[in-house]
Each structure stands twice: as structure tokens, then as C-alpha cells.
Amino acid sequence: MNSDIANVEGCAFTTEELQRFHRFYKLDWDEAGLAAAPLPERIRHFVSSIDPDTDSTRLQAWLRTMGIIDEGEKSDAAKLYEQFEQFDFASAPGFSQRLADVYGSDDVSKHGIGERMDMAKAAYYNEHVAPLDYAAYKQFKESSAPRPVCPYQHLWDAGGADKEQPDTAKFAHVMTIDIGESCAAGLTLAAINGLRHSVKEACQEKYYAAAVINSSCNDPANAKPVFLPTLDASGDAAAALRAAAQLAIDLRTLNGTKPLLMLANGTVDASALGILLSTSDVVTSEMFAIDVAPNSESSRTFPFVALCDWARLSSGRARAEPGTAEYILTSPDLVLRSSEWMPLGLEIGFVAHRRFAAAVESILLAASCPPPHTRDALRKACAVESAYPGPSKISAWTHEIRQHFSPLADTALQLDGLYDELARIDTPWARRHRLVAGDAGAKAVAGARIAGLQAMRGLEYSQALALELAASIAWTQGESATDQLFHSAGTQSLAEVLLAGTDECPGTSQAPVEPAADAEVASVPDECPFARMYRKNPSQFAHIDLQSIAKHRSLNL
């Protein structure tokens, strides 16, 4: 853990100090016999008996920052306002007569009623108890409110149901990108360019947290919300593929420097899957669904659905069973939902559709936690809002995946060998999975996917993406021979594949993808050298607790 983080964007305390102070805050003072003890006595007890390494002066400074101070340090105004808040208005003579003004209004919101009640209490207190200016009281409360300097503060923040929901737009350092608004006409070249422009803006210093959300992109045919629509290849399919790949790179680059949270309350088309997989910090609802079946219309047009990401599935933090990617990408009827996405380690939370908007507001409040704790605060907020998404349809076939599909991942076994094996066992599950073998087009897609996974597993991300993009472009141009699609492994760099054809301007009404400079094109975050070593021989790292390390620093495994 890095304990040298200090004075970062308004956070004056190190990570180690914040953990110590959090322990003080959450201590059971009843059990310690100090429930009624003053704050200085609690601090002395904590420093002497619980954590002698804690600096009591720094702890006091943090408590003052959090709005928790000793009685002796309170100003006269603070004592007056505290007495006002503790005054028993229920039994105060004549106060009940003022309630008609509180409730007699067209504004019946909880916030409006609460505001009028506070004003009535202040007026009564000023007339009958002690001089009190309501405007000065409100200003004092706002200026002395605890500031979010601890990554765990949102877990105990007293934002009860009787308070108005804060306006997340007020957090100027949070950049939100509305995919629905950008893609109202589909995932066209113009829409992708617009999204890329928003991502570039999110990289500016004035923003820290970036949240990608959906609100208005709906499929009129079935009235279901859509998070990422089908990639529009009506003009130049190669240009569309290059643009989508560049957007995924931009998002990964952004995610390498600041938090990138995707809130996917809708379907994702397989052709746009690489964009979604630009971050594993994804929150979904029951409306989330992806159909990657090789016999789907989208897969026939764009068969290589983020193969460079699927190739790393079994070596990622979820440790998915080898062969899982092969099983998913060749299944004729498997629709991936939140219940499959979460166990694979590809999302961090599930929120029901009916309360998704409220949960998003609550989660985004954690973005006010300053760097370097913002990402961790967002993840914890997602965990608080998250619920169980339901059982996974993939987990039910773990034994079959291990027995029949893992050889596709470990050897050069082709799809025909798998179908022969499934024909011999002849179970309902095997017969259903073999349906792809009876569809020439679907079988070609499935076979090309298997070959692509095998070719990409030994490559770094930028090499694998270059190979996937080149193969996808070749497919849209009529090349379907598997040996030709992946023969160029390692011969073209990612920059060469992305820049190829940018001088051409095909006859289309859509704007071509913005040409990128060589430095921009090659800006895929470098893969950790230890990740390459791990992928080649995971047993060498069996003694290392990677899960614990990942809590403090992201690993690109």
C-alpha cells in the first residue's frame, strides 16, 4: 500500500492515516465502556490501548475536518445552534399554532416541508428563547458540514430519506457522458466521434471521476432500454470498426488515469462489446443483455466480438474456468445477462431497473471523494447499492465446460473435433449446442472465433486488438477463410491497422472517424510485464495474494 499520498486534491491525510482514523470512528465505544466519555478521553484511550502508532494531533485534525470536534473547541455560535436543534418544540407553548403555515402550501415535497419547519422553529426560538438568525444558521450549517475526505464516509453519511436528493450536476469534477443522447440515431461514425470528443474532454484536469450513463436510447420495436446499439456499417464498415476500436482505446486510456464507471441499464449489441469492456467497473440492471450467439444477425456481420478481451477471461481476476470464452462464443442460445456478467468479474454491481436512477445518484455522490480514493469510494458505493442478480446459466455447466471446451483453449483443437465429441455423448445439452454445426454461416463464425482466441492468447493487448481489428475488416470485405483471417499475427501494429484507409473518404453522408496522430493511436495503456509472465505461467505467482493487492492498485492481468 502506498502510504505517502498527502495533500492530493484537497486530501491532507495519507491512505494509512485514513484507515487508522476510520478504525477510531467505527470503534464500539459501548464495549470499551466509554460511550459517555468526552472526545479527548476517547482519543487517549485509542492511542494508548488500541493503536499506539496513531498521531493524536493528526487524528484531532481529521475529526475537525469531518465536523467532529470536542465540546471545548466549539464556538459560541455552534453551541447556540446545537441548543436550538435540541430544543423540545413539541411541548413548546404556542408552537403548534405555526404548523398551519408549515403544511398549508402547494409544495408538499419532503424538502419543502422540512425547510418551512426549520424556518418556523427558528422564528419561534428567536422570539421566545434566544436571539437566532435563520439565514446565519443555514450558512453556518453549510460551511461546517463534513467534507468528504475519507473513502468510507459515504457508508455512514446521514443522507436520510427525509432529505432532498443532492443534485449530482453540482459536482463539477464529475464528467458524465450520455450514450443515449449521443447514439439516438444509432452507433454511427458521427456518434462515435461525438463520444470520443466527450472522452477527450473528460481527460481534462478539471474532471476527475467520469461516469458513462444511459438515459434516452430506446429500441422502438420492443420498448426496451438500449445501452449500446448496433454498430452502424451502412456506409464504410471498415471505418466503423476502426472508430469503435479507437473509442475503446480512448476509454481504456481514460480509465488508466481516473475512474471510469459504466451504468448499463439496457441491452448491449455484440458489435459494441469492446466499448463496454473498456472498464470492469460496470453496474447493470435486469434490462442488461448481450446476445453473442454465432447465428445472430449482428454476429454474422461482426463475428469477432472483443476476442482480445475474451482471450484473457481465464487469466483475469475472476479466474473463469478455461474454455468459458469458447463456450460463450459458440453457444447458439445463450444470452449474457447480469447473472453471467458478475461471476465472470466483468461488473461490480447489480441494481434493479425500478430503482436504478436513485441508485445512480447515490453512487455518483461517492465521486466527491477526492483522489486518490475516488475509484475505491465509487466501487464501495456500488457494492452498497448492489443486489444479487440471480443464478448464472454458465455456472450450471462448469463441469461440461471443463471437460469439452477447455481443450479448445489449451490446444489447437478445432470446432469439428468438439462437435464430434458432443455427437457421441448425445445429451439434450450436447444436441442443443450442436445446433450451430447445422448452420453453415453460424459454424463459420464459431470456427473463426475459436481460431482467433487461440491466436490471441499469447499476445499483448495492443497486438491482440490489432489482429482482431484486421480480421474483422477482412471479414466485412468477404474474407471468411480462417487460415487467412489470422495469418497476419504480429505483422501489423495497432497504429498501422487503425490508420490504414484514413486517407480514403468513401461516399457516405456520415463523417469519417477523426484521424489520430501516431502518438494517440499507440496510446493503449502498456501491459504490466508481470501480467505477461503471469499469463504464461500462473503457478509461479500462486504464493501471492493478488486479490489483496488489487484492492490497492489495479493490475492488468
Side-chain angles (χ1 to χ4, degrees):
M1 181 200 310
N2 182 2
S3 60
D4 299 325
I5 302 169
N7 298 315
V8 179
E9 195 94 16
C11 182
F13 305 100
T14 68
T15 304
E16 186 176 58
E17 284 179 319
L18 289 172
Q19 289 184 329
R20 293 180 186 278
F21 302 159
H22 174 63
R23 187 180 179 191
F24 172 87
Y25 192 99
K26 304 302 287 185
L27 195 67
D28 188 342
W29 296 107
D30 285 324
E31 184 178 328
L34 297 172
L39 188 60
E41 186 177 343
R42 291 188 183 188
I43 294 175
R44 285 195 295 272
H45 171 77
F46 183 81
V47 173
S48 62
S49 304
I50 307 297
D51 192 347
D53 293 329
T54 297
D55 185 330
S56 60
T57 303
R58 297 281 289 169
L59 174 56
Q60 287 177 320
W62 178 78
L63 290 170
R64 280 193 293 272
T65 303
M66 295 292 293
I68 307 166
I69 56 178
D70 181 43
E71 290 289 330
E73 296 181 334
K74 291 181 180 179
S75 65
D76 291 339
K79 293 177 181 178
L80 170 65
Y81 296 144
E82 189 171 284
Q83 291 170 359
F84 162 66
E85 291 172 346
Q86 294 174 352
F87 185 78
D88 184 9
F89 287 95
S91 59
F95 179 74
S96 60
Q97 298 173 8
R98 300 173 182 251
L99 297 182
D101 295 331
V102 173
Y103 294 101
S105 171
D106 293 336
D107 182 4
V108 296
S109 69
K110 291 182 179 180
H111 174 69
I113 293 174
E115 182 79 8
R116 293 194 297 275
M117 180 66 79
D118 287 344
M119 293 177 67
K121 288 180 177 179
Y124 181 92
Y125 196 88
N126 181 62
E127 294 172 10
H128 300 283
V129 182
L132 186 142
D133 183 87
Y134 177 73
Y137 165 71
K138 291 288 291 183
Q139 183 178 1
F140 175 84
K141 294 296 292 183
E142 291 175 1
S143 63
S144 61
R147 289 186 287 124
V149 299
C150 176
Y152 308 102
Q153 182 180 348
H154 65 281
L155 297 179
W156 64 70
D157 222 350
D162 59 334
K163 295 189 177 181
E164 182 186 28
Q165 285 287 350
D167 182 7
T168 55
K170 293 179 180 178
F171 294 107
H173 60 292
V174 179
M175 174 68 179
T176 60
I177 304 171
D178 191 335
I179 286 183
E181 184 177 299
S182 301
C183 302
L187 196 55
T188 62
L189 284 173
I192 293 174
N193 281 335
L195 289 170
R196 288 192 61 201
H197 177 78
S198 298
V199 172
K200 184 177 181 180
E201 184 180 355
C203 291
Q204 297 179 16
E205 290 185 4
K206 65 177 181 178
Y207 298 114
Y208 190 71
V212 180
I213 64 175
N214 170 72
S215 64
S216 58
C217 187
N218 292 304
D219 181 358
N222 52 26
K224 290 184 178 179
V226 178
F227 182 65
L228 282 168
T230 305
L231 184 63
D232 185 354
S234 58
D236 184 352
L241 286 165
R242 290 189 179 97
Q246 184 65 68
L247 175 59
I249 293 171
D250 293 344
L251 288 168
R252 284 177 178 269
T253 303
L254 172 64
N255 196 33
T257 58
K258 57 185 66 176
L260 173 62
L261 179 66
M262 292 201 186
L263 303 157
N265 183 26
T267 60
V268 175
D269 190 80
S271 61
L273 190 52
I275 298 172
L276 179 73
L277 291 174
S278 300
T279 177
S280 58
D281 291 341
V282 178
V283 177
T284 67
S285 74
E286 68 270 22
M287 298 299 180
F288 173 82
I290 305 172
D291 183 1
V292 295
N295 53 346
S296 69
E297 182 178 350
S298 180
S299 294
R300 293 178 190 271
T301 306
F302 301 108
F304 309 120
V305 287
L307 288 187
C308 54
D309 296 288
W310 287 116
R312 284 157 180 73
L313 185 63
S314 60
S315 61
R317 61 183 179 181
R319 303 292 183 270
E321 190 72 35
T324 301
E326 284 76 6
Y327 171 76
I328 292 172
L329 295 176
T330 60
S331 176
D333 54 7
L334 176 62
V335 176
L336 295 169
R337 301 188 184 276
S338 301
S339 53
E340 285 76 47
W341 218 237
M342 187 175 287
L344 294 176
L346 301 175
E347 71 173 67
I348 58 173
F350 168 82
V351 178
H353 173 70
R354 58 182 174 79
R355 58 182 303 271
F356 202 83
V360 167
E361 284 197 6
S362 178
I363 290 170
L364 291 185
L365 289 179
S368 62
C369 185
H373 310 292
T374 319
R375 192 187 302 268
D376 191 46
L378 282 167
R379 288 173 176 173
K380 285 181 170 61
C382 290
V384 170
E385 296 293 331
S386 182
Y388 175 58
S392 168
K393 295 190 289 289
I394 296 176
S395 301
W397 302 106
T398 299
H399 174 73
E400 287 78 7
I401 291 173
R402 185 186 305 115
Q403 181 177 359
H404 303 295
F405 289 85
S406 59
L408 292 174
D410 298 334
T411 69
L413 177 67
Q414 298 301 312
L415 205 58
D416 283 336
L418 169 67
Y419 290 145
D420 291 343
E421 188 174 340
L422 295 180
R424 286 193 295 271
I425 62 174
D426 197 30
T427 62
W429 168 82
R431 287 195 295 271
R432 191 184 77 247
H433 205 90
R434 285 190 76 252
L435 290 175
V436 174
D439 184 329
K443 185 179 179 181
V445 169
R449 287 176 174 178
I450 297 300
L453 290 172
Q454 292 174 348
M456 293 176 193
R457 278 209 166 86
L459 303 179
E460 294 184 22
Y461 174 77
S462 59
Q463 294 174 318
L465 180 58
L467 181 57
E468 176 187 320
L469 184 55
S472 297
I473 292 173
W475 181 279
T476 61
Q477 294 173 347
E479 179 62 65
S480 60
T482 301
D483 56 342
Q484 294 296 321
L485 283 170
F486 299 103
H487 83 286
S488 59
T491 61
Q492 282 186 296
S493 69
L494 180 58
E496 290 172 335
V497 179
L498 285 170
L499 290 174
T502 54
D503 293 334
E504 303 172 8
C505 187
T508 174
S509 59
Q510 296 173 331
V513 65
E514 299 171 355
D518 289 309
E520 273 193 286
V521 170
S523 63
V524 182
D526 292 334
E527 184 180 41
C528 171
F530 295 101
R532 293 195 295 271
M533 296 168 59
Y534 177 87
R535 203 169 58 250
K536 292 178 180 178
N537 189 0
S539 62
Q540 286 184 337
F541 298 83
H543 62 289
I544 299 177
D545 186 357
L546 294 175
Q547 296 285 346
S548 177
I549 295 174
K551 292 178 182 178
H552 304 290
R553 186 172 182 85
S554 298
L555 296 179
N556 184 14
L557 294 179

